[in-house]
């Protein structure tokens, strides 16, 4: 890889190995988000953002979560989530209301239509993820990738601004 970067380029501030790793990550991250969004929209009419919200809500057996906890779970700002939830509510995928336990917070609930949309979208989406990512790696590589990504995630939580979601040690 050549080290001739435009002055001011972020890559000029990284070593050659760091540049290679970061560039590889960014290529995969950006392309994977695009392709997953395209696949979900084409096969189920859901966006990747919709899917993130629906899947996160399934971490509760009743499909119910405080908006603040949901925002932490998917790593979004609360205002972004609130706007997206309004659009999802308008499409019948979720319901929102006052939290039952203390009536101070807002709670979001996966609606019957949301559960059904997720059930229908999941097989094709998991098939895409398996084909595009998981099948590209052998068992040892998959275990190594998991270890490395968990290490990076822990560092992000340790140094970031969002708390660790409740169900993660």
């Amino acid at each position: 890889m050549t080290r001739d970067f435009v002055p001011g380029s972020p890559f000029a501030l990284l070593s050659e190995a760091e540049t290679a790793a970061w560039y590889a990550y960014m290529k995969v991250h950006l392309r994977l988000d695009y392709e997953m969004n395209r696949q979900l929209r084409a096969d189920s009419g859901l966006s990747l953002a919709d899917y993130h919200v629906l899947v996160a809500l399934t971490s509760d057996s009743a499909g119910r979560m405080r908006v603040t906890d949901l925002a932490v779970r998917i790593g979004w700002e609360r205002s972004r989530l609130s706007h997206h939830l309004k659009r999802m509510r308008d499409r019948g995928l979720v319901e929102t209301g006052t939290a039952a336990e203390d009536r101070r917070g807002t709670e979001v609930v996966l609606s019957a239509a949301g559960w059904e949309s997720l059930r229908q979208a999941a097989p094709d989406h998991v098939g895409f993820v398996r084909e595009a990512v998981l099948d590209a790696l052998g068992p040892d590589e998959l275990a190594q990738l998991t270890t490395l990504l968990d290490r990076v995630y822990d560092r992000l939580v340790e140094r970031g601004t969002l708390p660790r979601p409740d169900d993660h040690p």
Side-chain angles (χ1 to χ4, degrees):
M1 174 180 280
T2 179
R3 296 290 302 165
D4 297 328
F5 294 108
V6 174
S9 164
F11 291 116
L13 302 173
L14 300 172
S15 71
E16 204 165 318
E18 290 169 334
T19 297
W22 188 248
Y23 187 66
Y25 165 77
M26 289 304 297
K27 286 189 310 186
V28 169
H29 167 71
L30 295 171
R31 182 60 61 98
L32 188 58
D33 272 3
Y34 171 83
E35 295 295 345
M36 287 191 303
N37 191 57
R38 184 213 48 79
Q39 177 274 317
L40 281 163
R41 284 201 181 277
D43 293 347
S44 68
L46 295 174
S47 68
L48 183 58
D50 295 338
Y51 195 79
H52 287 319
V53 170
L54 295 174
V55 169
L57 287 170
T58 67
S59 63
D60 178 79
S61 61
R64 171 182 307 273
M65 193 176 288
R66 285 178 166 276
V67 170
T68 301
D69 294 335
L70 180 57
V72 168
R73 172 71 51 93
I74 62 177
W76 287 8
E77 292 178 355
R78 195 178 188 292
S79 62
R80 175 185 178 194
L81 179 59
S82 293
H83 290 294
H84 194 77
L85 288 173
K86 181 187 181 315
R87 291 188 297 272
M88 291 180 74
R89 188 180 62 232
D90 291 347
R91 292 170 34 226
L93 298 171
V94 298
E95 298 165 3
T96 58
T98 305
E101 67 236 17
D102 68 8
R103 316 234 7 112
R104 288 182 295 159
T106 302
E107 205 169 57
V108 58
V109 180
L110 194 51
S111 69
W115 278 108
E116 185 57 29
S117 292
L118 185 59
R119 272 193 283 279
Q120 288 186 13
D124 287 339
H125 185 64
V126 169
F128 172 81
V129 169
R130 183 171 283 123
E131 181 183 321
V133 179
L134 305 176
D135 289 350
L137 305 171
D140 291 342
E141 292 169 318
L142 195 56
Q144 184 179 19
L145 179 63
T146 301
T147 299
L148 296 172
L149 291 174
D150 281 343
R151 188 182 313 157
V152 170
Y153 180 80
D154 288 341
R155 174 67 67 95
L156 285 169
V157 170
E158 174 186 311
R159 295 172 185 229
T161 57
L162 285 173
R164 183 179 296 276
D166 288 338
D167 69 330
H168 291 275

